[in-house]
Amino acid sequence: MILYNVTINIEPSLAQDWLRWMKQEYVPEVMATGLPAETKILRLLTEVGNGGVTYTAQYFFNAMEDFITYEKLHAPALNAKLHARYSDKLLAFRTLLEEV
């Protein structure tokens, strides 16, 4: 199992809007690609005073090939939508993990 983890820190005033948009629009579009097996959104409970609200969007892929296909064919357009909507109001970093 491959876990693609995207950690997002967003301005507090936009956190609820972002969460609603992710659940109603972004994640359904990701899942519609047929490539991730599962997805979860979690909120970080141990904030360190970074001035925002931190979430992780986790996408589980059955195989590395599925992730590579997603990354090449779908991620650029989906990420463009995210940045067009929230531009400089969030910071994100991505990690790729393998279940062992």
Side-chain angles (χ1 to χ4, degrees):
M1 178 74 60
I2 302 297
L3 169 57
Y4 178 51
N5 185 79
V6 183
T7 301
I8 299 112
N9 180 271
I10 188 157
E11 291 183 7
S13 63
L14 293 174
Q16 288 304 310
D17 178 72
W18 175 87
L19 185 59
R20 180 201 53 76
W21 183 77
M22 286 292 288
K23 288 181 173 183
Q24 294 177 359
E25 295 183 38
Y26 190 90
V27 170
E29 283 190 56
V30 171
M31 295 306 290
T33 68
L35 294 164
E38 181 184 355
T39 186
K40 294 181 183 182
I41 298 177
L42 300 114
R43 184 172 59 89
L44 183 66
L45 296 177
T46 55
E47 291 291 338
V48 292
N50 56 18
V53 181
T54 304
Y55 294 92
T56 66
Q58 299 181 338
Y59 306 96
F60 298 85
F61 294 85
N62 289 320
M64 182 61 82
E65 294 77 17
D66 294 337
F67 169 74
I68 291 169
T69 300
Y70 169 78
E71 192 69 4
K72 285 182 180 178
L73 299 180
H74 304 286
L78 288 163
N79 289 336
K81 288 181 183 183
L82 174 69
H83 290 287
R85 185 173 175 100
Y86 296 102
S87 61
D88 62 342
K89 306 299 183 195
L90 63 76
L91 296 172
F93 71 90
R94 293 156 175 82
T95 51
L96 189 62
L97 302 100
E98 181 179 29
E99 185 177 19
V100 294

